[in-house]
Amino acid sequence: MYRFLLTPRWWGINVFVLLAIPFCVFMGSWQLSRFEGRVQEHRASTAQAASDEREQARPLARMLPVDKNTSGRRVTASGRYGRQLLVPGRELDGRSGFYVLTLLRTDSGRALPVVRGWLPGKADPAKAPAPPAGVVTVTGALQASETPGDNGVGARGGLPAGQTGAISSASLVNLVPYRLYDAWVTLDRADAGMKAVPATAPDGTGLDLKAFQNLGYTGEWFVFAGFVVFMWFRLLRREVEFQRDAALGLVPERHQEPEQDDASTPTTV
């Protein structure tokens, strides 16, 4: 009864199933490993953030360039404050406000963007405290340049003078007359009248939307594998039923030859 499995049509179906199921299982397992990797990175970054708060600050130059290992680490730098900018549309503790960003001109000849704190409400230069004068030493968490779309950073354009949408060297290079570090620092303790801005985890280490997309793709690939198996058994069952009906002479009408009526058969003279 199952000799039909050796026909060319069923050879094609069987080969497709034998290739599709392992492929779906492999892709599902790969997506699951991506999600598990992000979970591990999230745990590691959380533990690192807790230890960063207790570790001794290191000189800025020793922690550059910023990567997953150095992001969030405490650094120290000295210099004189220069140009000050505001970063609107930033939330803290569920409230909308803005960052006060001041460029620290160091002895290296480059300027380090320093987030001195956060203030509620709309960005207003009159609300932002003036930076300390003279040589200062800052201590805070090292952060990588922001990218619009990540960590709630909006790709805003057309901002008023003295404001920037993202804290990055690419955005600031056209706003300030300094050579810039490709990094920024958020102070451990905000200057008077402002709240300190907590450090953010490096990109790709948190349980963000991309992480849960990996988990969703995992389920989809395993569902695809199950669907392939289900359809193969369904086709097999239908073929077996047809073979059984054919053996009993119960072939469906669409498989029968049309019968000719003798009365309608033309006769030759």
Side-chain angles (χ1 to χ4, degrees):
M1 180 175 293
Y2 293 95
R3 294 179 60 183
F4 63 85
L5 292 174
L6 301 178
T7 61
R9 172 173 174 267
W10 273 93
W11 265 109
I13 294 175
N14 294 334
V15 169
F16 172 79
V17 170
L18 291 176
L19 293 177
I21 293 176
F23 178 77
C24 291
V25 172
F26 169 78
M27 292 300 297
S29 301
W30 178 69
Q31 290 289 350
L32 182 60
S33 67
R34 292 287 302 275
F35 175 74
E36 292 176 342
R38 287 180 177 272
V39 172
Q40 293 297 329
E41 288 183 348
H42 175 67
R43 291 174 178 172
S45 63
T46 301
Q48 182 65 47
S51 64
D52 290 343
E53 295 178 356
R54 300 188 298 269
E55 76 170 354
Q56 184 177 2
R58 300 183 181 184
L60 173 66
R62 293 173 54 185
M63 304 299 288
L64 296 175
V66 186
D67 54 25
K68 289 184 178 181
N69 295 322
T70 60
S71 179
R73 304 287 291 273
R74 297 179 70 240
V75 297
T76 182
S78 298
R80 295 176 181 270
Y81 278 125
R83 180 77 180 278
Q84 182 160 286
L85 301 169
L86 305 181
V87 188
R90 298 304 176 101
E91 292 188 358
L92 185 62
D93 298 331
R95 301 175 62 191
S96 179
F98 61 96
Y99 294 166
V100 177
L101 177 71
T102 312
L103 280 298
L104 182 71
R105 302 173 64 182
T106 66
D107 293 337
S108 68
R110 289 189 289 177
L112 174 68
V114 177
V115 173
R116 297 171 47 232
W118 174 90
L119 289 171
K122 294 184 178 180
D124 184 356
K127 296 180 181 179
V135 178
V136 296
T137 298
V138 299
T139 302
L142 182 65
Q143 301 281 267
S145 290
E146 295 179 332
T147 302
D150 294 337
N151 297 323
V153 180
R156 298 180 59 183
L159 292 172
Q163 296 186 20
T164 179
I167 309 173
S168 69
S169 56
S171 299
L172 297 173
V173 69
N174 297 320
L175 301 177
V176 297
Y178 315 128
R179 293 175 53 216
L180 299 167
Y181 286 100
D182 190 17
W184 58 282
V185 167
T186 175
L187 296 183
D188 290 344
R189 296 181 179 179
D191 286 347
M194 296 185 287
K195 287 187 176 182
V197 176
T200 58
D203 293 341
T205 59
L207 293 180
D208 53 10
L209 179 60
K210 292 181 180 179
F212 288 101
Q213 282 180 340
N214 292 134
L215 188 60
Y217 294 150
T218 298
E220 287 182 0
W221 282 113
F222 287 133
V223 168
F224 290 158
F227 180 74
V228 170
V229 175
F230 168 76
M231 290 302 299
W232 185 84
F233 275 106
R234 183 175 180 181
L235 290 174
L236 177 68
R237 181 180 176 181
R238 290 180 61 183
E239 190 69 26
V240 170
E241 291 176 350
F242 174 76
Q243 295 292 336
R244 185 184 298 115
D245 291 345
L248 297 175
L250 303 175
V251 181
E253 293 183 0
R254 61 188 180 89
H255 293 283
Q256 292 181 340
E257 293 292 336
E259 297 181 357
Q260 293 183 341
D261 189 353
D262 293 341
S264 61
T265 303
T267 57
T268 57
V269 179

